Amino acid sequence: MKKVKLAVVGVGNCASSLIQGIEYYKHHHNEHSDGIMQPNINGWRPQDIAIVAAFDVDKRKIGLPIEKAIFAEPNCTTVFQKFIPVNGVRVKMGQLLDGVADHMAEYPSSQSFRVAQEDPVNVVEELKSSGAEVLVCYLPVGSQKAVEFYANACLQAKVAMVNCVPVFIASDKKWANNFTQAGVPIIGDDIKSQVGATIVHRVLARLFNDRGCKISRTYQLNTGGNTDFLNMLERSRLKYKKISKTESVQSQLDVPLDTNEIHIGPSDYVPWQKDNKVAFIRIEGKGFGGAPIDLEMRLSVQDSPNSAGVVIDAIRCVALARERGLAGPLNSASSYYMKTPPAQHRDHIARELTNEFIMGENIQVNKNKIN
Ligand SMILES: NC(=O)c1ccc[n+]([C@@H]2O[C@H](COP(=O)([O-])OP(=O)(O)OC[C@H]3O[C@@H](n4cnc5c(N)ncnc54)[C@H](O)[C@@H]3O)[C@@H](O)[C@H]2O)c1
């Protein structure tokens, strides 16, 4: 079976989990419920993804073979697959732009980024010569210019994109049109983890409304100790992350809440938590006869494998779209896999649409929506 050739931008914790997972599923069951949502997409199993190019800016990763770079500091995610075979790919210097926040320099190097003093490579040429078919974008939150730079590189090199970052590309009309015009498919924006705070909050909020209960207010507070959480201490980088997370929950309600009655966002950086993310969700509502119903929930996950379990499907879906000659945002898979897709659906509908797309049943729907 021909492999899906993948380029990775940002060799951080999420990339580490994804690449570990590709190897892990060579040696373990990969049926549904073995940590995998879609064991087989177009004949591609999780292990049928091959890394052909990788870009970063951290001096501890540049020049390293990818199988070593994923374990380099400051990555701190859980190691569930120690052995990764040599594949000859080394991490290349990308374009820094706004990828690294100034406050990172104030933290110990074991916890934060250290930029390499090297000239960037020609990313478009690297993508072309590597034969990459899909690029997954794992840049830090707030990297508006850097994400746009790599999106442009995808357009020029005709490489499909999976945008895991809350910088609006697939969900932005102008960018979506650029992808359609260039004949390149994209899934985005901002990855919605397997069983993460967003999907749990969405489903619980829906449950209240489906059972006739009115939600009066809600919050979702998140803490973690990885570089993603450290980066998000800089509030100015957070704007679109907050919009993405909040609108993802608002989109599921019969009547969206007043902005004062909903608070969702990353809340603090707790170094010793490392890649363990803890979400505290509270929903206050009223049931029969106006009787109060208050829900308090705590969710504890390993942040990066939780997102990789979704990205492993998104990569194969966008590769399938590419093979079918589709262009622009893939609406079905974006709504299932991303917090901010071009069009929001209830999660069970997004799942059905994605399954139909994989089976080849709603290609026309996607084509129509793209055009
Ligand atoms: N569950 C999750 O982990 C989850 C869920 C949703 C969204 N995301 C998003 O995915 C993205 C990646 O998350 P992560 O935990 O892997 O982050 P991370 O901080 O571990 O990794 C980011 C990597 O990008 C590199 N980088 C910075 N600027 C760069 C540039 N200009 N070019 C190339 N590389 C650059 C850094 O050196 C680092 O290796 C973040 O935006 C995060 O918010 C993650």
Side-chain angles (χ1 to χ4, degrees), residues 125-278:
E125 287 309 317
E126 291 289 335
L127 287 176
K128 284 183 182 165
S129 63
S130 67
E133 294 159 318
V134 177
L135 177 147
V136 59
C137 184
Y138 276 137
L139 291 175
V141 169
S143 309
Q144 182 77 32
K145 289 183 186 145
V147 174
E148 290 183 356
F149 168 83
Y150 289 104
N152 256 321
C154 284
L155 296 177
Q156 287 174 53
K158 307 282 182 215
V159 170
M161 185 173 189
V162 175
N163 180 28
C164 301
V165 188
V167 166
F168 302 141
I169 304 288
S171 58
D172 175 87
K173 281 209 173 80
K174 193 176 108 285
W175 272 106
N177 192 39
N178 291 347
F179 272 80
T180 306
Q181 295 305 321
V184 177
I186 176 168
I187 292 179
D189 303 308
D190 195 11
I191 193 78
K192 195 195 305 168
S193 292
Q194 227 170 347
V195 181
T198 296
I199 191 145
V200 171
H201 204 163
R202 281 166 66 107
V203 168
L204 288 175
R206 224 17 270 152
L207 178 72
F208 270 65
N209 280 180
D210 283 345
R211 305 291 285 183
C213 300
K214 188 170 181 180
I215 296 178
S216 29
R217 47 169 92 135
T218 187
Y219 67 58
Q220 181 198 120
L221 311 176
N222 297 288
T223 66
N226 56 24
T227 36
D228 190 22
F229 274 86
L230 177 60
N231 171 60
M232 290 188 290
L233 285 181
E234 170 58 63
R235 308 306 281 185
S236 64
R237 295 180 76 90
L238 265 189
K239 183 174 172 200
Y240 296 110
K241 184 74 171 183
K242 255 185 105 47
I243 292 174
S244 180
K245 283 180 76 75
T246 306
E247 291 309 310
S248 192
V249 174
Q250 288 277 43
S251 72
Q252 300 303 295
L253 303 176
D254 291 340
V255 181
L257 288 163
D258 184 275
T259 48
N260 289 326
E261 309 301 345
I262 180 164
H263 177 92
I264 299 182
S267 308
D268 213 344
Y269 169 65
V270 182
W272 58 258
Q273 275 186 238
K274 297 198 182 298
D275 201 37
N276 171 220
K277 170 176 164 173
V278 178

Side-chain angles (χ1 to χ4, degrees), residues 43-199:
W44 294 308
R45 299 156 304 160
Q47 61 268 42
D48 292 321
I49 296 171
I51 310 295
V52 296
F55 305 94
D56 206 285
V57 293
D58 195 299
K59 63 182 179 190
R60 293 157 295 178
K61 295 172 182 171
I62 302 304
L64 240 57
I66 186 70
E67 65 274 10
K68 291 210 163 64
I70 59 172
F71 300 123
E73 282 186 340
N75 289 9
C76 61
T77 188
T78 179
V79 177
F80 56 89
Q81 176 65 42
K82 265 194 193 145
F83 172 74
I84 312 284
V86 174
N87 78 346
V89 174
R90 286 180 184 268
V91 180
K92 302 258 167 78
M93 182 71 187
Q95 281 279 355
L96 176 62
L97 298 165
D98 51 359
V100 174
D102 291 343
H103 74 279
M104 282 282 172
E106 295 161 22
Y107 288 81
S109 61
S110 59
Q111 293 169 20
S112 68
F113 303 140
R114 292 293 180 265
V115 177
Q117 301 304 312
E118 283 196 32
D119 290 335
V121 296
N122 183 327
V123 172
V124 175
E125 287 309 317
E126 291 289 335
L127 287 176
K128 284 183 182 165
S129 63
S130 67
E133 294 159 318
V134 177
L135 177 147
V136 59
C137 184
Y138 276 137
L139 291 175
V141 169
S143 309
Q144 182 77 32
K145 289 183 186 145
V147 174
E148 290 183 356
F149 168 83
Y150 289 104
N152 256 321
C154 284
L155 296 177
Q156 287 174 53
K158 307 282 182 215
V159 170
M161 185 173 189
V162 175
N163 180 28
C164 301
V165 188
V167 166
F168 302 141
I169 304 288
S171 58
D172 175 87
K173 281 209 173 80
K174 193 176 108 285
W175 272 106
N177 192 39
N178 291 347
F179 272 80
T180 306
Q181 295 305 321
V184 177
I186 176 168
I187 292 179
D189 303 308
D190 195 11
I191 193 78
K192 195 195 305 168
S193 292
Q194 227 170 347
V195 181
T198 296
I199 191 145

